[in-house]
Amino acid sequence: MDLNTYSALDELVSWYAAREIRERPKDVGDAFWRPTVLPILMGEIKIIDILSAIERRAHSGGVLVAGSGDGREVAFLAKLGYDVVGIELNPALAKHSKSLMDVLAQEGRVERLRTRIVQGDFLDDYTYHSNGLRFEDFRTIFAYLLDSNFQGLVKKIGQQSPSGTELYALRPVEWEEPRIGLKRIGRYGVAVENTSPDKPVFVPHYNLMRYRKS
């Protein structure tokens, strides 16, 4: 990414930090929201950018964020250049993230046409059809989910997505990697700086898992 994009993404970290929800909305069903730590999200975005540069792929086309919460990953990916659909089950979070997207667009931080928030269940085809979408059209999917919902998403990819579809899953390092029917093609430690009195050290907190459907 160029320096202007990097600076804009760094500003998004501060922007979202200033708008953290003090009282998180009540959980809906078995889906509960724990926002991705912003420096970790920035680390994930850097890895995605490096991978794209190595593979000479542009940041373009439509991507899905399954379980988009307050829309922070939607905003970061849109700033890279993707057209992003975030699907969030919690109505309060979906409403809140839509309002944040409007403010980001008004302030010129993110192009509004690159972001779309849909309220619904990302495992339910009705969510897509009722919004003029098709799950199988998303060739790149991002998720930070508990194993139960993660396994459901993997199954849906296995049943509906075309070969070559990729899934990026952010997972705490202490979580055991589940056995799934997708090929793992990468595992990348996402670290944040932990400054000690002597020197800064980087401690990995999450793994960014990259899977591809054969």
Side-chain angles (χ1 to χ4, degrees):
M1 71 183 78
D2 58 44
L3 288 177
N4 286 336
T5 301
Y6 182 90
S7 177
L9 286 167
D10 199 40
E11 289 178 7
L12 273 182
V13 172
S14 299
W15 193 91
Y16 263 94
R19 291 162 178 80
E20 292 277 14
I21 299 176
R22 294 183 179 181
E23 294 186 12
R24 293 173 186 167
K26 185 177 179 181
D27 297 336
V28 176
D30 63 350
F32 67 92
W33 179 59
R34 298 296 179 267
T36 307
V37 178
L38 288 161
I40 292 293
L41 177 55
M42 185 65 169
E44 176 190 1
I45 294 297
K46 289 178 183 177
I47 292 171
I48 291 166
D49 184 62
I50 291 170
L51 292 174
S52 297
I54 292 172
E55 297 168 9
R56 298 184 179 182
R57 292 184 290 107
H59 298 299
S60 61
V63 301
L64 170 68
V65 177
S68 54
D70 65 359
R72 58 185 64 192
E73 188 162 24
V74 171
F76 277 69
L77 290 169
K79 192 61 187 177
L80 272 187
Y82 296 102
D83 298 317
V84 194
V85 174
I87 297 184
E88 173 54 46
L89 181 63
N90 191 309
L93 276 174
K95 181 179 179 180
H96 178 65
S97 57
K98 287 179 182 179
S99 67
L100 290 181
M101 293 302 127
D102 288 337
V103 176
L104 284 167
Q106 290 166 8
E107 295 180 0
R109 298 180 185 275
V110 172
E111 293 181 43
R112 190 65 178 91
L113 292 178
R114 291 198 179 278
T115 67
R116 183 178 180 186
I117 305 295
V118 172
Q119 192 277 317
D121 183 349
F122 61 77
L123 297 178
D124 189 345
D125 282 338
Y126 177 78
T127 299
Y128 301 89
H129 297 160
S130 62
N131 288 280
L133 302 168
R134 297 197 319 155
F135 177 78
E136 52 268 33
D137 288 341
F138 293 103
R139 302 298 300 273
T140 306
I141 301 170
F142 296 87
Y144 171 25
L145 303 168
L146 291 177
D147 277 343
S148 57
N149 291 319
F150 179 70
Q151 292 284 7
L153 178 61
V154 168
K155 182 178 179 181
K156 191 172 183 66
I157 292 171
Q159 292 175 339
Q160 297 179 233
S161 298
S163 297
T165 296
E166 292 196 351
L167 170 63
Y168 290 84
L170 192 63
R171 298 174 63 82
V173 294
E174 63 270 20
W175 287 11
E176 184 177 343
E177 184 179 358
R179 294 183 179 181
I180 62 175
L182 302 177
K183 181 179 180 181
R184 173 161 62 82
I185 59 173
R187 178 171 60 191
Y188 315 94
V190 185
V192 295
E193 186 174 352
N194 178 24
T195 304
S196 68
D198 300 323
K199 61 180 180 179
V201 294
F202 290 86
V203 182
H205 294 276
Y206 288 77
N207 286 320
L208 178 61
M209 312 300 295
R210 184 184 183 190
Y211 301 97
R212 182 181 294 150
K213 181 178 178 181
S214 300

